[in-house]
Structure formats: C-alpha cells, structure tokens
Amino acid sequence: MRSIDTELLVVGGGVAGAYAALTARSFGADVVLVSKVALYGGSTRWAQGGIAAPAQPADQEAHAQDTVRAGRGLCEPATVQAFVAEAQAHVEQLRDLGVHFSPALTLEGGHTRPRIRHTGDATGAAISAALTRALRAAEGPMLRLLDGTHVKNLRVSADGDSVVGADVLEPLGPVTIRAGGVLLASGGFGQLYPVTTAPPEGTGDGLALAYRAGAALRDLEFVQFHPTAVVRGGAAHLVTEAARGEGGVLVNAHGERFMPRYDALAELAPRDVVARAIAAEIAATGGVSLDLRHLGAAFVHARFPTIAETLRPLGLELGRDLIPVQPAVHYTMGGVLTDAAGRTTVAGLYAAGEVASSGLHGANRLASNSLSEGLVFGARAARAALAEGRLPLSDGVACPAPGGDPADLPALRAVLDGAAGLRRSGEALSRAVSQWPGHEPNAQGTERPQLEAANLRLLGGLMLRGALARQESRGGHFRTDFPQEGFPHQGVPGESTPVHTVQRLATGGEPEHVPVETAVLGFGA
C-alpha cells in the first residue's frame, strides 16, 4: 500500500475544504486535499442565492441577531460573533480570486436587511470555479490534490486519543495518509432522504468517520427543508430564496397568498416557518405555487437565468407560469461537534462547513450563511490544525470501515422519511427506531458504494434516536406530540431551556442533552 505524509489532510473540495487548503498553503504548510468527486463538485456549486456577510461593520450586530433568531436559541454566541466579525473579509478574498459579485445586495428569508452578495442565480458555481482555479494554480509538491478519492476510515493513535491520518481509496488503489492534522469538510447527509437537493455525494461520510474515531456528534435531528423546490420524478430542483427576496409570492391552489397568515415576515420568514406553512397549504388545498409573473418576464429571466433553463425542460416558463413548489431536504444543521476554531472532541481532528456543528446555525440555518460559514470556519480550522499539528507523524491504528448494501438504502430512506420529515411524532419515531438495523455490518467496505451505504445506515439510526429524544419543537425539528419549544416533560430546568443533543460512540450513540454554553464537552468555545 502506498503512503503519503503531510502536515494537513483536508477531506472535501467544496467551499470549506478548498478555502481551508488554500489558507493552510498560504502559511507555507504541506497540504493534501482529498475529494471523492471532481473538485468542482459538492454542494457549493449548486448554491443559487448568494453568500451572506454583514453589509458593513455597523451591520454585524444585526446579522448576528438575525442568525440567532433563526437558530431558535441553539446558536453558540462565540461562534456567531466570530462569524459576523470575519465573514466580510473572506468574501473580499473571493473577489480577489475572480468572483464578480453584483453591486446590488439582495434580501432573503430571515434577514432584516439586504446583505446577500450574488452573481445572479449561480453564486455557488462561480465561487466553486474560482476556488478550483486557485487550487489548480497552487498544485504542486506542497499542495497535492487527490480528486476521485474516497476516505475509507480515519487512523487514530495507539491509545485512541488523537487522529493521525486516514486510509483512502484512490483510483489507482489504496493509500495511507499520515497527517499532523485531519480537517473534515465533506458536507452533510442529505442523501438519507429520498427527495433532496443535496448532491449524490452528500452521504455523511465525514460524520461517520468522526463518530467511529470517537468524536462527538451534535443535533443530528435538525434537518432543513428548503421551502421551494420543484419536484419531478423524485428529483428536487431548487428555486432560490432570492426569488422571494425579489418579490415573489406564494399562493395556494385557490390562488390565495397565505404566508401573511403564518408569519409577519410573510414569504421572508425563516425557512422552517415557510416550509411548514407550504406543507400545510398543500395538505389543505392540494398545492402551492411560487408566483413571479408580476415581476415581469424580462426581469425574472435576467435575474434567474439558471433557474429558467432548469425549469424549461420540465415545461415551466419562469415569469409566465405559476411554479409548483414543495419543501425538500436541503441542509443538515447537525454534525461533528466543534468549537469556534473547528476543533472536535478528538485531538488532531477538525471540521468545518456542513459536516460540522459549530454552533452557528442552531436549530435552523439562516439563508445564505452556509457559503460564508465555509470560508470563515474553513480558515479558522486550518489555522488551528497547523498551530496544533501533531509531530512526529504516526501510522496509528485503522478505525472500522464497515461496508453496507446499497440495495438496502431505498427501504431505509422510506422509513426515515416517514418518521423524520417536516412533522414528526413519538409514535412514528419509535416505530422507525425499532425497524432500523441495530448494528453496523461486520463486512469490511472495499468500494465507495458500500462505504456510503454503511455511513448512511449509521447516521440514520443516530438521527432517529436524537429526534425521538428531543421532546419539543424547535427550528427544523417539529413534534406533533410536543409542539411547544422547551422541555417541560424532560425535567430540564426552565420550560424554554435550550439544549443540544450530543451522541458519542462511547455511549453507544445514546442521546445526551447538554445546555447551550455548558463546558462539559472537554474543551472551551
């Protein structure tokens, strides 16, 4: 087996991973970036609406307040403050890399003022292309790019106290990478659901790798449904939130605009509110559509050309037709528990972006905070990993790499979707937990589909148990049997005390409830 030594191994080529690798390289570090698909891949390139950052220094506090309000009490204050203080500088770095943002800021749901920078309706694609160009330009002996390469398992020290590298499956064969630090930036687990805007590679690999290495996971039950997706043949085609920010309205099957009945912010309420309102109106009237006709076809096509091209083969003409929409799984707020510097609960392991639960999003992500999150915390995690790099390098011990059966996934997705969708109940969740396979497969995974199947199976079970344990409704988690926000039935002091759900391998994945800002996790924020 071939081996590679490096100061920093970055897993994932989206905005968080690419920016982390470039940051580390700018400090003179030796970096290996592994991406299981082409670098121009992941969720980043599909992001339509834009990237959020304070419009000016005076906007930082308002942006923080909007983020915390959307997060429903589960945001970590230190993380939010770091984010709003640093986001704008990193967005300016994207300009230097060739991303041409429109001079006009736009508004999206949950924001109290325009602060979204965009490049039309393909902002993520422009950012991904710029970062890919920068990586390719810097590629060489000190920045090795291994795309088409899947991480099989992490490697830990002999005492299990730190992560020291990984085993990966390169197109030409297996490779062991010994690293001073490992930074996970591998995205979320949207592929747990049958209808999702997540890319095919969104199989939660980083969360499963971290969990098997002993790292804590947090708040897996919080799943964000994007309110407006056009779903045809099981495929979800996103219609950006910016379409409502520009004046689009939602109407039910009776032609009635309904969002003002659900929230004072109407179409620009936070995503959890809009998604549940749409689902309720679909159930009550038979359908919901996004109406952009009053904005004029010329404006709509100029502002949203990518969406127009996507919808045309479906027989829908943007600006002329009502666009039938429904919620679809879009983003997973839960992830590998980190502090504001990307440190996990295991030494030598760091995480940034959607794979991480940094405390920025809480129970519900504010629109367009994800791309800027990748920049801020990708850079922070890279700096922390280099400052704390573990030398000398060690071979360590391989963590388990079980292989599942991809043929089992459709049935498992159906079980999870039926119990852990927009509306959940204890009865349905209990039934799903009892139906879910109880133990990881013993077979060693030797190919990517087997490894991904095992990762999704692991995360689905953890997610269901976390949702069952959270006997309240908050953000992206709504329980019909516990519609209130808070834990009056759980014995947690104070009816509205916000708590995180933490799950660890050491406790068999049993959910623990930990109050926000409680330093019982072994490290400070």
Side-chain angles (χ1 to χ4, degrees):
M1 181 182 292
R2 190 163 72 93
S3 64
I4 296 174
D5 289 353
T6 185
E7 289 180 73
L8 179 63
L9 168 61
V10 178
V11 180
V15 61
Y19 200 69
L22 290 169
T23 298
R25 188 68 203 95
S26 73
F27 286 107
D30 173 59
V31 183
V32 171
L33 186 150
V34 169
S35 174
K36 72 175 179 179
V37 295
L39 285 179
Y40 185 65
S43 296
T44 297
R45 72 186 181 100
W46 298 107
Q48 296 174 345
I51 183 168
Q56 51 193 353
D59 184 36
Q60 289 183 14
E61 186 55 35
H63 193 173
Q65 291 174 1
D66 291 347
T67 298
V68 169
R69 187 180 304 111
R72 299 289 193 263
L74 282 188
C75 298
E76 297 286 348
T79 302
V80 175
Q81 289 303 319
F83 171 73
V84 298
E86 298 171 16
Q88 176 56 32
H90 291 299
V91 171
E92 291 305 321
Q93 287 291 317
L94 292 181
R95 293 184 190 275
D96 293 342
L97 292 176
V99 180
H100 301 292
F101 293 111
S102 167
L105 303 181
T106 193
L107 185 66
E108 292 186 4
H111 292 270
T112 54
R113 63 187 68 177
R115 61 171 69 93
I116 314 300
R117 292 145 179 88
H118 65 88
T119 64
D121 63 348
T123 306
I127 291 172
S128 186
L131 291 173
T132 299
R133 287 194 302 269
L135 286 170
R136 292 297 185 195
E139 186 175 10
M142 298 295 285
L143 176 60
R144 287 164 282 185
L145 307 176
L146 306 181
D147 49 1
T149 299
H150 187 67
V151 178
K152 179 181 177 183
N153 54 266
L154 296 178
R155 301 185 72 87
V156 297
S157 58
D159 57 12
D161 286 344
S162 62
V163 168
V164 298
D167 294 322
V168 306
L169 300 176
E170 206 183 8
L172 296 179
V175 179
T176 292
I177 300 177
R178 305 194 314 166
V182 177
L183 197 167
L184 300 173
S186 50
F189 52 95
Q191 284 296 324
L192 262 177
Y193 286 81
V195 180
T196 177
T197 65
E201 58 268 27
T203 51
D205 304 331
L207 287 87
L209 292 169
Y211 181 81
R212 296 189 189 108
L217 306 185
R218 182 168 68 179
D219 294 341
L220 299 187
E221 63 270 28
F222 293 114
V223 174
Q224 185 168 83
F225 287 72
H226 196 287
T228 52
V230 177
V231 179
R232 296 287 174 86
H237 306 276
L238 188 66
V239 179
T240 174
E241 193 140 353
R244 285 174 279 132
E246 296 288 0
V249 297
L250 294 165
V251 296
N252 60 26
H254 303 319
E256 173 195 14
R257 184 186 179 195
F258 58 85
M259 274 310 304
R261 290 194 277 107
Y262 289 88
D263 194 280
L265 293 174
E267 281 80 7
L268 294 180
R271 286 177 174 174
D272 58 326
V273 175
V274 180
R276 282 195 291 273
I278 289 175
E281 292 293 319
I282 290 173
T285 73
V288 164
S289 296
L290 178 65
D291 191 355
L292 303 172
R293 296 174 299 177
H294 57 288
L295 301 179
F299 170 78
V300 169
H301 278 260
R303 179 66 177 85
F304 305 112
T306 305
I307 298 172
E309 288 300 315
T310 299
L311 296 182
R312 191 167 292 119
L314 305 179
L316 296 170
E317 190 63 41
L318 203 64
R320 182 196 69 188
D321 300 327
L322 288 172
I323 308 301
V325 294
Q326 67 184 70
V329 168
H330 181 60
Y331 190 89
T332 48
M333 274 78 72
V336 183
L337 170 57
T338 74
D339 67 2
R343 303 181 189 93
T344 73
T345 55
V346 176
L349 183 64
Y350 307 82
E354 191 176 359
V355 70
S357 174
S358 68
L360 177 63
H361 305 310
N364 178 53
R365 176 172 67 80
L366 183 66
S368 287
N369 268 1
S370 56
L371 293 176
S372 39
E373 173 199 23
L375 299 176
V376 171
F377 295 103
R380 281 179 151 250
R383 292 197 299 267
L386 295 181
E388 301 161 5
R390 278 151 177 78
L391 297 173
L393 300 180
S394 165
D395 290 330
V397 179
C399 293
D405 187 349
D408 294 339
L409 291 178
L412 293 178
R413 288 183 176 115
V415 169
L416 187 129
D417 188 48
L422 270 172
R423 295 169 64 86
R424 306 166 178 182
S425 71
E427 179 182 1
L429 288 166
S430 294
R431 184 167 56 249
V433 168
S434 68
Q435 294 172 342
W436 205 263
H439 300 284
E440 288 212 79
N442 292 323
Q444 182 84 347
T446 57
E447 298 180 358
R448 173 180 157 183
Q450 298 171 325
L451 294 163
E452 290 178 333
N455 292 341
L456 287 171
R457 176 175 142 160
L458 169 65
L459 294 174
L462 294 173
M463 189 267 192
L464 287 169
R465 288 154 73 183
L468 181 61
R470 184 170 288 278
Q471 295 183 350
E472 67 161 349
S473 292
R474 187 184 295 270
H477 172 75
F478 183 82
R479 288 277 296 265
T480 57
D481 48 346
F482 293 101
Q484 78 291 329
E485 187 173 280
F487 277 79
H489 302 284
Q490 286 291 92
V492 177
E495 188 167 302
S496 61
T497 301
V499 296
H500 292 297
T501 305
V502 177
Q503 293 169 277
R504 312 166 188 258
L505 181 64
T507 58
E510 286 302 314
E512 310 166 57
H513 285 134
V514 180
V516 175
E517 295 186 82
T518 298
V520 298
L521 302 176
F523 60 94

